[in-house]
Amino acid sequence: MAEVEQGSAFPGEAAPPAIDSLNATDSNGTDSANATVAKFVSTPEGTALAYGSLVFMALLPIFFGALRSVSCAKGKNTSDMPETITSRDAARFPIIASCTLFGLYLFFKVFSEEYINMLLSMYFFVLGILALSHTISPFVNRLFPANFPNKQYQLLFTQGSGENKEEIINYEFDTKDLLCLCFSSVVGVWYLLKKHWIANNLFGLAFALNGVELLHLNNVSTGCILLGGLFVYDVFWVFGTNVMVTVAKSFEAPIKLVFPQDILEKGLAANNFAMLGLGDIVIPGIFIALLLRFDVSLNKNSRTYFYTGFLAYIFGLGLTIFVMHTFKHAQPALLYLVPACTGLPFFVALVKGELSEMFSYESSAEVLPHTPRLTHFPTVSGSPASLANSMQQKPSSPRRRHHNPTSM
């Protein structure tokens, strides 16, 4: 997971001019970004505002994503069915993530950073529009009255004829979906052309919220396997090598939340950023969402474990920022978040005598008996709200499929 970091220029933007400049180096003296970063001494007010904003932005997708994960799990629309992470998926994930991270590192070392980021920008441009549309669709639906003329549309593209006809694209949407897509497209063009940090954060928040909402751990044991594996992954790649820092600074995509520490001096044109990787939001977030679904399963009209996990996340992230600011070195946030987000809820469950009940809880067996696996290739089908999820779902059949028009 990308680390919490301070004082770097946003990718795609030139470092601000200064008399003195220095190379960002890690603790073992190696060049961590092979790039010059302008020396900037932020004011205490600017630093507090930047880190406070990062914490606040991190809490939004966790809180609302967890709430939406409950309604998502109870929903009857199969196109909006969440993905379930099994213990096998959780055990393999750190290995896959390590291979992907090191592969990106090699790509940035061998090929031109400019061309790699150009391809990545187009890829995340499309995904960002879909994710942001899915995120804002519930709010857009509440803005319109019940008598709003909401027309249904369908974009169908097939291959072959007769019995051999196959659907390539079956995209169903309505008028409200179009409005969401139009707004998201404007944000997408803004990000593509300007790489502005606000557009980056809008996409980043959308990705994080969709991840917390649509990625479901099937039980607490799986959550422990996933968080434990990524705990080791995060610590190794941040403290053991310069790979994580290099990729984080070179990767020009909305995979992190940023906030300028010099915003009080330069306003929206500020370019000296503190950053927080989306993995440090989504990974603890899906565990906290599992705690909320466990609370719901208890039928006690209480959200004890959800609020405990939520407060533990705030403590862990605050501790991360404190240590980073004290030692002036990028920190693997999961080093502090994993013990906090697992330890405190487990302690509360132990005190209440519900620890065995917590570990025996099965989210997938209760509301998701036929949830698709995490690793299937996407089929482009459904509404904008379902498309962000179906990007990873397995189609029920490789041949023709028939859908009823979905409404946001």
Side-chain angles (χ1 to χ4, degrees):
M1 301 303 102
E3 73 290 342
V4 175
E5 190 177 348
Q6 64 174 349
S8 62
F10 194 52
E13 295 183 4
I19 296 177
D20 297 319
S21 61
L22 63 149
N23 289 326
T25 53
D26 59 16
S27 58
N28 58 17
T30 59
D31 181 6
S32 66
N34 294 327
T36 299
V37 180
K39 180 183 291 185
F40 173 79
V41 180
S42 58
T43 63
E45 295 82 4
T47 300
L49 179 60
Y51 291 135
S53 299
L54 283 180
V55 172
F56 177 74
M57 287 190 292
L59 296 178
L60 290 178
I62 292 178
F63 185 83
F64 291 104
L67 294 178
R68 288 172 61 159
S69 77
V70 175
S71 58
C72 175
K74 293 181 177 180
K76 302 299 182 181
N77 189 354
T78 56
S79 63
D80 286 334
M81 190 77 74
E83 303 279 1
T84 293
I85 301 175
T86 65
S87 58
R88 184 180 179 184
D89 297 324
R92 292 187 301 179
F93 192 84
I95 300 174
I96 296 172
S98 295
C99 294
T100 302
L101 179 68
F102 191 66
L104 285 171
Y105 175 79
L106 294 179
F107 265 97
F108 282 116
K109 289 294 185 181
V110 175
F111 300 103
S112 171
E113 182 178 314
E114 178 183 357
Y115 296 116
I116 296 175
N117 281 320
M118 185 183 301
L119 294 175
L120 291 173
S121 294
M122 294 303 300
Y123 177 70
F124 280 98
F125 168 75
V126 176
L127 289 186
I129 289 175
L130 297 174
L132 188 58
S133 297
H134 184 200
T135 300
I136 66 175
S137 60
F139 305 102
V140 172
N141 288 337
R142 294 189 183 97
L143 294 177
F144 294 93
N147 59 354
F148 177 78
N150 194 32
K151 296 182 179 180
Q152 302 290 325
Y153 304 93
Q154 183 179 28
L155 178 64
L156 182 63
F157 182 71
T158 62
Q159 174 181 289
S161 60
E163 294 294 328
N164 296 322
K165 182 180 289 186
E166 294 186 24
E167 289 183 358
I168 306 300
I169 297 177
N170 186 357
Y171 190 43
E172 300 166 352
F173 54 97
D174 55 30
T175 305
K176 295 177 181 178
D177 298 334
L178 285 176
L179 294 175
C180 294
L181 284 172
C182 288
F183 173 79
S184 301
S185 298
V186 171
V187 176
V189 172
W190 182 25
Y191 171 77
L192 198 62
L193 296 179
K194 299 295 184 181
K195 297 294 188 297
H196 197 277
W197 62 273
I198 294 180
N200 172 89
N201 286 349
L202 288 175
F203 275 172
L205 288 170
F207 286 138
L209 191 146
N210 277 274
V212 175
E213 175 187 359
L214 301 175
L215 295 177
H216 285 197
L217 296 166
N218 62 349
N219 54 49
V220 173
S221 297
T222 299
C224 292
I225 294 172
L226 180 65
L227 268 65
L230 290 176
F231 173 91
V232 176
Y233 159 90
D234 213 19
V235 172
F236 172 76
W237 287 112
V238 173
F239 286 150
T241 72
N242 69 333
V243 171
M244 180 78 81
V245 177
T246 300
V247 172
K249 290 185 175 181
S250 303
F251 202 79
E252 192 175 320
I255 59 168
K256 52 185 175 286
L257 298 180
V258 299
F259 199 90
Q261 300 181 74
D262 54 345
I263 191 171
L264 298 178
E265 292 82 10
K266 299 182 179 180
L268 297 181
N271 57 1
N272 190 278
F273 294 92
M275 64 180 68
L276 175 66
L278 294 189
D280 300 324
I281 301 173
V282 175
I283 298 304
I286 60 178
F287 186 78
I288 294 172
L290 174 66
L291 295 178
L292 177 59
R293 296 194 297 276
F294 173 62
D295 278 325
V296 173
S297 72
L298 294 176
N299 295 319
K300 294 182 178 180
N301 197 27
S302 171
R303 301 294 180 263
T304 302
Y305 296 107
F306 171 65
Y307 290 130
T308 300
F310 197 73
L311 291 175
Y313 180 84
I314 296 174
F315 171 78
L317 189 56
L319 182 60
T320 306
I321 293 172
F322 172 77
V323 174
M324 181 205 62
H325 189 68
T326 300
F327 293 97
K328 309 298 181 184
H329 187 280
Q331 296 295 312
L334 294 183
L335 173 64
Y336 310 96
L337 291 173
V338 169
C341 292
T342 55
L344 190 56
F346 291 166
F347 176 76
V348 172
L350 182 64
V351 171
K352 297 183 67 175
E354 296 176 338
L355 189 61
S356 60
E357 190 173 359
M358 173 184 284
F359 274 87
S360 64
Y361 168 70
E362 286 283 343
S363 175
S364 57
E366 187 169 290
V367 293
L368 302 170
H370 304 296
T371 304
R373 293 290 300 278
L374 180 66
T375 55
H376 297 305
F377 193 76
T379 295
V380 182
S381 176
S383 66
S386 64
L387 186 56
N389 177 35
S390 67
M391 290 294 290
Q392 298 181 28
Q393 285 185 330
K394 180 179 180 181
S396 58
S397 170
R399 298 294 179 184
R400 294 186 64 184
R401 296 189 301 151
H402 300 281
H403 299 273
N404 293 324
T406 58
S407 177
M408 302 292 293

